[in-house]
Amino acid sequence: QVQLVESGGGLVQPGGSLGLSCAASRNIFTINAMAWYRQAPGKQRELVAAITRSGYTNYADSVKGRFTISRDIVKNTVYLQMNSLKPEDTAVYYCNANVGPNYDYDYWGQGTQVTVSS
């Protein structure tokens, strides 16, 4: 099992920056990959960014060049730095951890609201 505790989020103006944190309850090297997803009202949850155990990262096309996923292996924490925010980035952001030898278990954080508005 993995417990994920998110922090950060809030209200920011377009063009602004915001950072999210996700602290895992176990060593992140025991986790296949950690990721950030988001879900806007009336839309499906979508992958924003992910980082694998080996450190490989990938991003949704809509956030490439603006968002950065990173990790602190000592703190077992993954971060999402969001720059040049747009109103369409408004959503609930969820932290995800994938575990298991067959990549078959997913755990989720409670979600944190990000609102981009003037």
Side-chain angles (χ1 to χ4, degrees):
Q1 265 195 331
V2 185
Q3 282 78 48
L4 301 171
V5 179
E6 300 158 0
S7 60
L11 174 64
V12 64
Q13 292 187 341
S17 298
L18 210 56
L20 305 179
S21 300
C22 174
S25 61
R26 63 192 248 188
N27 189 322
I28 59 176
F29 281 131
T30 69
I31 298 172
N32 297 324
M34 293 188 69
W36 289 97
Y37 285 73
R38 67 186 181 188
Q39 187 167 19
K43 294 188 176 181
Q44 289 189 328
R45 191 172 296 189
E46 63 175 356
L47 175 68
V48 176
I51 184 166
T52 67
R53 180 188 293 117
S54 62
Y56 174 79
T57 60
N58 69 292
Y59 297 90
D61 287 343
S62 60
V63 307
K64 282 181 181 176
R66 300 188 298 122
F67 290 12
T68 302
I69 189 169
S70 63
R71 64 185 179 182
D72 184 326
I73 60 175
V74 174
K75 296 181 178 179
N76 293 321
T77 299
V78 172
Y79 305 95
L80 185 69
Q81 179 62 39
M82 303 180 291
N83 299 326
S84 302
L85 282 160
K86 304 175 181 180
E88 51 263 45
D89 295 317
T90 296
V92 178
Y93 284 69
Y94 296 92
C95 181
N96 167 272
N98 178 269
V99 302
N102 299 311
Y103 298 82
D104 44 3
Y105 296 102
D106 281 296
Y107 294 91
W108 297 89
Q110 77 279 9
T112 186
Q113 177 71 45
V114 172
T115 302
V116 185
S117 175
S118 55

